[in-house]
Structures are given as structure tokens and as C-alpha cells.
Amino acid sequence: MNIKKYLLIAVLAVLPFLAGAQNGPVSAKIVCGPYLQNVTTDSFTVMWITDVDAVAWVEIAPNNEENFYYNDRPKYYDMRGHGLKPIGKIHKVTVDGLKPGTSYRYRVMMTAVQDYHNNYNIAYGKGSGAPAYKVNLPKATTLNEDYSEVKFAVVNDVHAKDSLLRKLFEDKKKNKEFDFVVFNGDMTSDLAYSDKIVRHYLKPASDLFANETPLYMARGNHEYRGKDALKLSEYFDFPEHGPYYTFKYGKFLFLVMDSGEDKVDNDIENQGRLCSEPYLDQEAKWLKGVVESDDWKNAERRIVFSHIPPQVKNAWHGNLNMSQKFLPILNNAGVDLMLS
Ligand SMILES: [Fe+2]
């Protein structure tokens, strides 16, 4: 080996270190969000997505003239780790112990995690978050104890046309009139990769309304499709155990159904991946409990969101499932409105 080869090897060996020194510590950037989930009378959940792994927290301040930097603000962490701060790109932080009907300024904060190969040596990057001295922080408002009226928007079957979604919600001032927005299924045509959830649901929503207006998701048949379909629930904070749940605005009770696929589980197009019949049976059992609950009985208005309607001419199996498994329970339960 001659001296030139030695020099080349030496330069190649040093290059990565030089590159690292030039770039410095990594800082996590927000690629989507923040967006509000699951707002109650005393809590709200903030979610956002970063470009690199990070640990995250949310800081809040009263919605008044006081400078955000006036004092140390309460910090809320992502509690999915049962006491360990999760390291990842999808962040989910619930802020609780709040007063009803009250607005709070909030900012999402994170510290990038560059390396965690060694159990006792996490290499953190830089901390980052909105510079509260030069941006207007978003506000989250807890629910009132009661409402004389509730205003919401429902949209479904957008099927990946996020330009249409952006058009529908282009008036940011008008969006603020809504108490919440529901995506009632089939916002894309498949979840082949999870970035579709960002691109077709959460990015348009958070850019246009969801940083201050809660977003609820009802699963459509197309959200059953694609390799990353199982990841849907990672991107939402469903109020109960998954994609079917209830939530209340005072005397208004909202029921969000998971209406399943449109074809039978064994249809060739479902590729042997579905076991939705027993899952929908579990949902029906849960629904019986819901309509017998005090919350349901005491509600003055009961409104149902379901992607697939229960009965139509030329019914597909999805319609049949709705008619057979859920309609008998809902028919005598005093539903005021069903949106499908
Ligand atoms: Fe559909």
C-alpha cells in the first residue's frame, strides 16, 4: 500500500466525524400537528408527529395577557409508557386536572433522541418547541358542563383527495365555529403505508382547524385495507378502547360506530386478513351496555356516526351487518340522528 492509499483511507475515516461536527446535535421538527383529540370537561389530548425520534411534553398557560415566559409552566408528559417517557415520532400527551369551559394556551415541546444503543447512555439532541415570544400559541378549550347547542362538521369518503379536504375547510375563521369535526370514514382508499394517515387526514386537519378544534375519527371500510391499517389507532386518542366509542357535550351524546368492511371476511379481496365478525359481535355487546347506561338514558339528544348505513337497496354484507348486529339495538334506543 502506498502513501496515497494511506491518506485516502485516513480522509475517509475522518469524514463522518467532520460531517457530524458540521451538522451538530439533531433537533426534532414537527412534520404534522399539533392536533387535538378527546377533549373533556377537565382534559384534552394533544398529538403531533416529529421527523426524528424524540421525547415530548406539553406546557400550558392561562389564556390571558400574561407572557408565556413569566414563570415555569406546568408540564405534561406522554403517559403511554406507564412511567417511562416514550421515545418515538408520534406524540400523545393528555393535559388534565383543568377547569370546565376554559381556554388554555399550549405549546408542544420535544428533545430529539439521536442514539439509544447503550442501555445507560441516551444521546439526546437539541430541545425544541414553539418560540412563544414570536408565535401565537394555539388554544385548547375544555368542554362546558352543558350546551344549549352543539355545532360540528362531518366529512367522509374523501378517498385521498386531500386538496378537496383543504377546500372544504379553507375558511379557518368559520372552522372555529365548530365544536368538533368528525371524519366519518374512507378518508383514503387504503392504508398501505402509515404516511397516508398523515397526508390525507392529520396534516390537512391540523393545518386548518385541529390545533384548536377537536377531531374525531370513525373507521370506514377502506381504513381496514393496506399493510399499515393496524396503525390507525396509533395516530388517534380514541376515548375508550378503540375505533368505537362515545363522547358527550353536556346533554348531547355522540356514538361513533366501527361499521366494519363491506364484504364478508372470507372474500378473496380481504386476503385472509379479516376476523371482523367476532369483532363486530364484541362491539354489539358493548353497544347494548351503552344504550342501557345512565349517560345514554339521561342524554337529551343521541347522535350516531357510522360510515356504513344499516339499510340500503342492493345491500352489501357491510349493510347487512349493520342491519343485523346493530340496528335491533339502536332501533328502540331513542336515536335522534344517524349520519352515515
Ligand atoms: Fe365506504
Side-chain angles (χ1 to χ4, degrees), residues 55 77-87:
V55 291
Y77 292 93
D78 188 333
M79 300 304 284
R80 283 173 297 167
H82 308 291
L84 274 171
K85 294 176 190 174
I87 297 172

Side-chain angles (χ1 to χ4, degrees), residues 157 159 186 221-222 307:
D157 289 281
H159 282 285
D186 286 10
N221 51 303
H222 282 265
H307 178 75

Side-chain angles (χ1 to χ4, degrees), residues 107-260:
R107 69 170 182 164
V108 299
M109 305 296 294
M110 53 242 135
T111 304
V113 174
Q114 291 185 240
D115 194 13
Y116 191 13
H117 289 310
N118 182 325
N119 273 343
Y120 296 99
N121 188 14
I122 302 177
Y124 287 108
K126 277 168 72 174
S128 54
Y133 64 95
K134 63 176 180 185
V135 297
N136 283 328
L137 292 175
K139 293 170 202 67
T141 306
T142 53
L143 302 195
N144 290 315
E145 298 283 7
D146 207 359
Y147 287 79
S148 55
E149 62 170 35
V150 178
K151 208 168 177 180
F152 57 90
V154 192
V155 60
N156 53 272
D157 289 281
V158 171
H159 282 285
K161 295 184 194 75
D162 36 285
S163 55
L164 173 63
L165 190 58
R166 286 182 183 276
K167 187 84 189 146
L168 286 169
F169 289 97
E170 66 182 354
D171 188 343
K172 286 189 181 182
K173 205 173 152 201
K174 189 171 169 47
N175 294 343
K176 286 187 194 297
E177 293 173 12
F178 300 128
D179 291 295
F180 60 86
V181 173
V182 177
F183 285 173
N184 201 8
D186 286 10
M187 302 305 287
T188 187
S189 297
D190 66 72
L191 297 175
Y193 47 90
S194 55
D195 189 50
K196 288 190 168 194
I197 305 169
V198 176
R199 203 190 318 154
H200 302 314
Y201 303 61
L202 302 172
K203 188 79 172 82
S206 53
D207 286 349
L208 295 168
F209 60 84
N211 64 340
E212 297 199 336
T213 303
L215 170 67
Y216 289 94
M217 175 73 210
R219 194 184 191 191
N221 51 303
H222 282 265
E223 274 98 20
Y224 273 78
R225 301 177 189 179
K227 191 166 66 65
D228 279 352
L230 259 179
K231 294 187 179 171
L232 185 74
S233 57
E234 293 175 21
Y235 290 82
F236 293 90
D237 185 37
F238 293 125
E240 296 178 42
H241 31 60
Y244 54 84
Y245 51 90
T246 61
F247 62 93
K248 293 198 297 188
Y249 275 63
K251 54 184 165 287
F252 296 85
L253 192 126
F254 298 94
L255 166 65
V256 177
M257 304 286 302
D258 184 343
S259 51

Side-chain angles (χ1 to χ4, degrees), residues 5-18:
K5 275 188 183 164
Y6 273 122
L7 276 173
L8 181 64
I9 290 165
V11 168
L12 287 175
V14 167
L15 268 177
F17 295 103
L18 284 175

